[in-house]
């Protein structure tokens, strides 16, 4: 799960002008938009846990297909790099867990 944020100029219906807005995404879906001028906030109704479950489900179910496609596309490189990928997987998984934990903390802080 990943949170990304960007500042962009959008039309504000409250200010009736184009102003700077802070847009926050959760897994590439808009979670909230805040006008930096009037501080009006628009939030989408999103369940972070459901988004996490959907992400994990998609990754787990698509893994065999992704491995098969990679194997067919470049057999030699796949076989050569596979041991390194297997050994680095625990570290990549811990990194993913930490990113997800931070994202959930950030979301929970904004809810409180």
């Amino acid at each position: 799960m990943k949170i990304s944020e960007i500042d962009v100029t959008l039309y504000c219906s409250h200010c009736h002008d184009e102003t700077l807005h802070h847009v926050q995404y959760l897994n590439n879906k808009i979670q909230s938009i805040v006008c930096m001028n009037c501080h009006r906030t628009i939030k989408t109704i999103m369940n972070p846990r459901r988004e996490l479950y959907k992400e994990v489900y998609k990754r787990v179910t698509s893994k065999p297909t992704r491995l098969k496609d990679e194997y067919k596309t470049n057999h030699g490189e796949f076989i050569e790099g596979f041991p390194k990928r297997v050994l680095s997987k625990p570290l990549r998984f811990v990194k993913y867990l930490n990113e997800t934990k931070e994202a959930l903390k950030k979301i929970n802080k904004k809810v409180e």
Side-chain angles (χ1 to χ4, degrees):
M1 180 177 298
K2 193 166 204 158
I3 289 183
S4 53
E5 299 173 339
I6 188 169
D7 291 329
V8 62
T9 303
L10 299 171
Y11 180 80
C12 179
S13 60
H14 191 257
C15 298
H16 301 291
D17 194 15
E18 287 190 10
T19 58
L20 188 65
H21 286 73
H22 184 77
V23 182
Q24 186 177 54
Y25 295 91
L26 176 65
N27 283 350
N28 298 324
K29 294 180 185 174
I30 295 176
Q31 183 182 20
S32 66
I33 302 171
V34 179
C35 176
M36 301 308 278
N37 190 33
C38 68
H39 301 290
R40 185 173 182 187
T41 304
I42 300 170
K43 290 187 178 188
T44 60
I45 299 171
M46 187 180 294
N47 184 343
R49 290 186 190 267
R50 183 168 184 219
E51 290 298 317
L52 176 62
Y53 295 145
K54 285 170 32 180
E55 178 185 354
V56 169
Y57 179 79
K58 182 180 176 185
R59 288 180 67 184
V60 168
T61 58
S62 68
K63 188 66 167 182
T65 305
R66 288 184 285 137
L67 285 173
K68 181 185 73 163
D69 292 345
E70 191 176 331
Y71 177 78
K72 284 183 176 181
T73 304
N74 198 343
H75 178 71
E77 197 174 299
F78 176 80
I79 296 296
E80 185 179 306
F82 195 72
K84 181 182 175 187
R85 290 171 60 184
V86 169
L87 291 174
S88 69
K89 188 62 173 181
L91 294 174
R92 290 183 285 145
F93 185 68
V94 167
K95 181 182 175 186
Y96 171 76
L97 285 177
N98 288 335
E99 284 178 359
T100 302
K101 192 174 169 181
E102 289 301 315
L104 288 173
K105 269 189 207 176
K106 201 171 195 179
I107 292 167
N108 288 336
K109 275 186 183 179
K110 291 195 178 218
V111 170
E112 292 174 358

